[in-house]
Amino acid sequence: MDKLAVIKNKIAGEKQLQRELAVWRLSDQKIVFTNGCFDILHAGHVQSLAGAASFGNRLIVGLNSDASVKRLKAENRPIQNQDARALILAALHFVDLVVVFEEDTPENLIHLVNPDVMVKGGDYKIEDIAGAQWVLDQGGKVELIRYLDNTSSTGIINKIKKGL
Protein backbone atom coordinates (compact mmCIF):
# COMPACT_ATOMS: atom_id res chain seq x y z
CA MET A 1 0.00 0.00 0.00
CA ASP A 2 1.28 3.45 -0.91
CA LYS A 3 1.48 5.23 2.46
CA LEU A 4 1.78 8.70 0.91
CA ALA A 5 -1.42 8.11 -1.09
CA VAL A 6 -3.21 7.13 2.12
CA ILE A 7 -2.06 10.37 3.75
CA LYS A 8 -3.03 12.51 0.74
CA ASN A 9 -6.47 10.89 0.68
CA LYS A 10 -7.11 12.40 4.13
CA ILE A 11 -6.97 15.90 2.59
CA ALA A 12 -10.57 16.43 1.56
CA GLY A 13 -12.64 18.80 -0.49
CA GLU A 14 -16.29 19.46 0.27
CA LYS A 15 -17.67 16.44 -1.66
CA GLN A 16 -15.28 13.98 -0.02
CA LEU A 17 -16.02 15.53 3.36
CA GLN A 18 -19.76 15.04 2.85
CA ARG A 19 -19.25 11.40 1.77
CA GLU A 20 -17.06 10.61 4.77
CA LEU A 21 -19.47 12.31 7.18
CA ALA A 22 -22.39 10.28 5.81
CA VAL A 23 -20.49 7.00 6.25
CA TRP A 24 -19.31 7.91 9.74
CA ARG A 25 -22.76 9.00 10.86
CA LEU A 26 -24.33 5.78 9.54
CA SER A 27 -22.00 3.87 11.86
CA ASP A 28 -22.76 6.25 14.76
CA GLN A 29 -19.24 7.71 14.93
CA LYS A 30 -18.74 10.76 17.14
CA ILE A 31 -17.38 13.60 14.96
CA VAL A 32 -14.85 16.05 16.45
CA PHE A 33 -13.79 19.30 14.78
CA THR A 34 -10.94 21.69 15.43
CA ASN A 35 -9.18 24.26 13.29
CA GLY A 36 -6.17 26.49 12.96
CA CYS A 37 -3.30 27.75 10.82
CA PHE A 38 -0.76 25.10 11.91
CA ASP A 39 2.02 27.04 10.19
CA ILE A 40 4.91 25.28 11.91
CA LEU A 41 3.67 22.11 13.59
CA HIS A 42 4.97 21.99 17.17
CA ALA A 43 4.42 20.10 20.43
CA GLY A 44 1.51 22.34 21.43
CA HIS A 45 -0.27 21.51 18.17
CA VAL A 46 0.32 17.78 18.56
CA GLN A 47 -0.89 17.87 22.18
CA SER A 48 -4.06 19.78 21.30
CA LEU A 49 -4.83 17.66 18.22
CA ALA A 50 -4.32 14.40 20.12
CA GLY A 51 -6.47 15.74 22.93
CA ALA A 52 -9.17 16.77 20.48
CA ALA A 53 -9.16 13.31 18.90
CA SER A 54 -9.82 11.77 22.31
CA PHE A 55 -13.28 13.40 22.44
CA GLY A 56 -14.68 11.19 19.69
CA ASN A 57 -14.12 8.65 16.95
CA ARG A 58 -13.24 10.91 14.01
CA LEU A 59 -11.21 14.12 13.99
CA ILE A 60 -11.67 16.68 11.23
CA VAL A 61 -9.17 19.55 11.12
CA GLY A 62 -10.15 22.78 9.41
CA LEU A 63 -7.01 24.40 8.00
CA ASN A 64 -6.78 28.12 7.18
CA SER A 65 -5.81 28.69 3.55
CA ASP A 66 -2.66 30.64 2.71
CA ALA A 67 -4.69 33.77 1.95
CA SER A 68 -6.55 33.46 5.24
CA VAL A 69 -3.29 33.07 7.21
CA LYS A 70 -1.88 36.19 5.53
CA ARG A 71 -4.95 38.16 6.56
CA LEU A 72 -4.91 36.83 10.14
CA LYS A 73 -1.18 36.74 10.89
CA ALA A 74 1.05 38.81 8.60
CA GLU A 75 1.97 39.33 4.96
CA ASN A 76 5.05 37.09 5.35
CA ARG A 77 2.99 34.19 6.71
CA PRO A 78 2.42 31.33 6.35
CA ILE A 79 5.95 29.97 6.36
CA GLN A 80 4.70 26.72 4.81
CA ASN A 81 2.03 26.72 2.11
CA GLN A 82 -1.37 25.14 2.68
CA ASP A 83 -0.50 21.98 0.74
CA ALA A 84 2.52 21.32 2.97
CA ARG A 85 0.59 22.13 6.14
CA ALA A 86 -2.30 19.88 5.10
CA LEU A 87 0.04 17.00 4.28
CA ILE A 88 1.81 17.25 7.64
CA LEU A 89 -1.51 17.30 9.53
CA ALA A 90 -2.90 14.40 7.49
CA ALA A 91 0.18 12.34 8.37
CA LEU A 92 -0.84 12.32 12.03
CA HIS A 93 -2.56 9.00 12.72
CA PHE A 94 -5.27 10.57 14.91
CA VAL A 95 -6.34 13.07 12.20
CA ASP A 96 -9.03 11.58 9.95
CA LEU A 97 -9.59 14.48 7.52
CA VAL A 98 -8.05 17.86 6.78
CA VAL A 99 -10.21 20.45 5.02
CA VAL A 100 -8.78 23.78 3.85
CA PHE A 101 -11.09 26.79 4.22
CA GLU A 102 -10.68 30.21 2.59
CA GLU A 103 -12.57 32.42 5.03
CA ASP A 104 -11.00 34.02 8.10
CA THR A 105 -13.12 31.82 10.37
CA PRO A 106 -14.30 28.24 9.88
CA GLU A 107 -17.95 29.17 10.53
CA ASN A 108 -19.23 27.86 7.16
CA LEU A 109 -17.18 24.68 7.46
CA ILE A 110 -18.49 24.10 10.99
CA HIS A 111 -22.07 24.36 9.68
CA LEU A 112 -21.23 21.80 6.99
CA VAL A 113 -19.53 19.39 9.41
CA ASN A 114 -22.03 19.88 12.24
CA PRO A 115 -19.64 18.24 14.73
CA ASP A 116 -20.68 16.46 17.89
CA VAL A 117 -17.73 18.12 19.61
CA MET A 118 -15.74 21.23 18.72
CA VAL A 119 -12.33 21.63 20.36
CA LYS A 120 -10.02 24.63 20.71
CA GLY A 121 -6.99 25.48 22.82
CA GLY A 122 -7.39 26.66 26.38
CA ASP A 123 -6.14 30.11 25.39
CA TYR A 124 -9.65 30.72 23.95
CA LYS A 125 -12.92 31.54 25.68
CA ILE A 126 -15.94 29.64 24.38
CA GLU A 127 -17.84 32.85 23.68
CA ASP A 128 -14.99 34.04 21.44
CA ILE A 129 -14.75 30.89 19.30
CA ALA A 130 -16.23 31.20 15.82
CA GLY A 131 -19.02 28.66 15.41
CA ALA A 132 -19.09 27.59 19.06
CA GLN A 133 -22.56 28.92 19.78
CA TRP A 134 -23.89 27.27 16.63
CA VAL A 135 -22.43 23.89 17.72
CA LEU A 136 -24.02 24.29 21.15
CA ASP A 137 -27.36 25.26 19.58
CA GLN A 138 -27.25 22.03 17.53
CA GLY A 139 -26.82 19.96 20.70
CA GLY A 140 -23.07 19.54 20.38
CA LYS A 141 -20.34 20.28 22.90
CA VAL A 142 -17.45 22.72 22.89
CA GLU A 143 -14.31 21.61 24.74
CA LEU A 144 -11.15 23.51 25.59
CA ILE A 145 -7.78 21.74 25.65
CA ARG A 146 -5.05 22.87 28.03
CA TYR A 147 -2.68 25.21 26.23
CA LEU A 148 0.97 24.11 26.30
CA ASP A 149 2.96 27.14 27.47
CA ASN A 150 5.89 28.47 25.44
CA THR A 151 4.81 26.82 22.19
CA SER A 152 3.76 28.88 19.21
CA SER A 153 4.70 29.11 15.57
CA THR A 154 5.46 32.81 16.05
CA GLY A 155 7.80 32.00 18.95
CA ILE A 156 9.63 29.39 16.89
CA ILE A 157 9.95 31.80 13.95
CA ASN A 158 11.36 34.50 16.26
CA LYS A 159 13.92 32.05 17.70
CA ILE A 160 15.05 31.12 14.20
CA LYS A 161 15.36 34.79 13.25
CA LYS A 162 17.53 35.40 16.34
CA GLY A 163 19.72 32.43 15.44
CA LEU A 164 18.82 30.43 18.56
Side-chain angles (χ1 to χ4, degrees):
M1 176 182 284
D2 181 352
K3 299 292 186 180
L4 184 58
V6 171
I7 292 168
K8 287 181 175 181
N9 193 49
K10 291 167 59 176
I11 303 168
E14 188 174 316
K15 287 183 181 181
Q16 181 184 346
L17 170 65
Q18 290 175 326
R19 283 192 307 269
E20 295 286 358
L21 285 168
V23 169
W24 295 341
R25 290 208 167 96
L26 279 174
S27 59
D28 211 24
Q29 303 275 318
K30 186 183 265 190
I31 311 298
V32 180
F33 178 86
T34 193
N35 68 280
C37 298
F38 303 101
D39 195 1
I40 297 178
L41 196 66
H42 53 69
H45 289 140
V46 173
Q47 177 178 299
S48 66
L49 289 165
S54 71
F55 285 105
N57 307 107
R58 300 293 180 169
L59 176 61
I60 298 171
V61 179
L63 180 65
N64 290 77
S65 69
D66 291 345
S68 175
V69 174
K70 280 187 187 318
R71 289 190 302 271
L72 294 171
K73 300 285 185 181
E75 186 57 36
N76 62 347
R77 298 282 295 276
I79 301 299
Q80 300 187 88
N81 68 36
Q82 67 193 37
D83 293 336
R85 293 180 290 123
L87 185 67
I88 292 165
L89 287 169
L92 298 172
H93 72 91
F94 44 77
V95 172
D96 294 288
L97 281 181
V98 177
V99 182
V100 176
F101 63 94
E102 295 292 332
E103 301 85 6
D104 290 348
T105 75
E107 186 92 30
N108 293 332
L109 181 56
I110 291 165
H111 289 213
L112 183 61
V113 171
N114 191 18
D116 299 298
V117 183
M118 182 177 175
V119 181
K120 287 296 284 180
D123 53 332
Y124 285 87
K125 293 179 183 171
I126 291 176
E127 59 269 17
D128 296 333
I129 300 170
Q133 190 58 55
W134 190 87
V135 170
L136 293 169
D137 290 346
Q138 304 310 305
K141 295 181 181 178
V142 177
E143 301 283 354
L144 299 177
I145 296 283
R146 186 177 71 83
Y147 182 75
L148 187 60
D149 291 332
N150 301 316
T151 61
S152 73
S153 295
T154 301
I156 292 168
I157 292 165
N158 289 339
K159 280 185 178 182
I160 292 168
K161 285 180 179 178
K162 291 179 183 177
L164 301 175

